[in-house]
Amino acid sequence: NAGVMQNPRHLVRRRGQEARLRCSPMKGHSHVYWYRQLPEEGLKFMVYLQKENIIDESGMPKERFSAEFPKEGPSILRIQQVVRGDSAAYFCASSPLFGLAETQYFGPGTRLLVL
Amino acid sequence: DAKTTQPPSMDCAEGRAANLPCNHSTISGNEYVYWYRQIHSQGPQYIIHGLKNNETNEMASLIITEDRKSSTLILPHATLRDTAVYYCIVRVPNSNSGYALNFGKGTSLLVTP
């Protein structure tokens, strides 16, 4: 059973460009979470999605950031008009349908560097 | 979610047991204790979780005090590959507020030869 997959693993963008980060959850998992880790800091929750629904985006910056988890295909975290402060590691996690003490399993992350 | 307190760093000799403490004195009755670790540049890895009973799996053991105000993660025979930052997180799973993991600063464990 493959784990959570993220691509690309590394992404370089110039200021003003768009960044698209993809996350494929573990097989059978229908809940996806995105976290951001700025350099030398801990992981911070960004958004929680289920298929075709955003459940909680309270951790997302108000502008330029959006996320989706379509019925088919991976979850996408989109950053428009990137700035240098967006440089970070972005981690995706997935969990199965809610059950007793559900656990989130993380992918390897996408390292975004904005020049 | 209850706040947790962990020492910022610890050392352990290879082959010895690593005992990582966590204080969560304000934990509520329905909050679980979860442990994750992050090896440098990798995604966080789930280790173990528990409510009030001690738990053991192939990676580690979790000892929770009777009053549930603190816990200890035990790696029975630490190896160099266990060098990582270890996070203790308390949360209510399956709740509207429990899905966002609060990683805090964790404990940086260094396993030495």
Side-chain angles (χ1 to χ4, degrees):
Chain A
N1 186 15
V4 177
M5 294 190 291
Q6 292 187 248
N7 66 81
R9 296 290 303 276
H10 299 272
L11 183 61
V12 179
R13 286 287 179 265
R14 297 190 180 280
R15 283 179 296 171
Q17 292 184 318
E18 179 179 285
R20 280 180 178 251
L21 289 63
R22 288 176 291 277
C23 169
S24 295
M26 289 178 69
K27 186 177 181 180
H29 287 193
S30 57
H31 300 243
V32 166
Y33 316 80
W34 285 92
Y35 292 78
R36 178 168 68 173
Q37 187 170 32
L38 295 170
E40 307 303 324
E41 294 188 15
L43 283 85
K44 302 295 183 186
F45 167 79
M46 299 181 74
V47 62
Y48 163 36
L49 309 103
Q50 296 177 18
K51 285 284 188 181
E52 301 184 280
N53 284 304
I54 297 175
I55 307 302
D56 183 350
E57 55 182 349
S58 59
M60 290 272 274
K62 292 291 185 283
E63 298 177 346
R64 303 185 298 108
F65 284 71
S66 62
E68 63 177 7
F69 189 17
K71 186 177 180 181
E72 302 290 338
S75 175
I76 306 289
L77 179 67
R78 180 185 180 200
I79 311 172
Q80 296 178 287
Q81 299 176 318
V82 296
V83 301
R84 288 203 174 126
D86 296 333
S87 295
Y90 292 82
F91 293 98
C92 166
S94 73
S95 69
L97 288 173
F98 272 175
L100 185 63
E102 50 79 24
T103 299
Q104 294 178 27
Y105 296 92
F106 284 79
T110 294
R111 272 84 185 160
L112 172 65
L113 175 62
V114 179
L115 301 177
Chain B
D1 289 350
K3 292 183 178 179
T4 62
T5 304
Q6 299 177 252
S9 64
M10 294 182 63
D11 293 345
C12 178
E14 187 178 21
R16 304 296 293 269
N19 298 290
L20 292 91
C22 179
N23 286 323
H24 32 79
S25 58
T26 60
I27 193 170
S28 60
N30 58 349
E31 287 184 308
Y32 284 68
V33 179
Y34 283 74
W35 282 85
Y36 281 78
R37 71 180 181 184
Q38 186 176 26
I39 298 170
H40 181 62
S41 297
Q42 297 183 21
Q45 179 185 24
Y46 164 78
I47 301 174
I48 199 168
H49 72 275
L51 181 61
K52 55 183 177 181
N53 297 322
N54 297 337
E55 302 288 345
T56 295
N57 62 20
E58 65 279 4
M59 289 184 67
S61 294
L62 174 61
I63 308 299
I64 303 174
T65 58
E66 193 168 343
D67 63 7
R68 302 209 324 123
K69 293 184 177 183
S70 65
S71 60
T72 301
L73 178 74
I74 301 172
L75 308 178
H77 305 286
T79 71
L80 299 179
R81 287 176 292 183
D82 291 322
T83 292
V85 179
Y86 287 77
Y87 296 96
C88 170
I89 300 168
V90 293
R91 60 188 285 256
V92 180
N94 311 328
S95 71
N96 291 334
S97 61
Y99 49 77
L101 299 178
N102 180 3
F103 280 85
K105 296 186 181 300
T107 296
S108 179
L109 175 68
L110 176 64
V111 181
T112 56

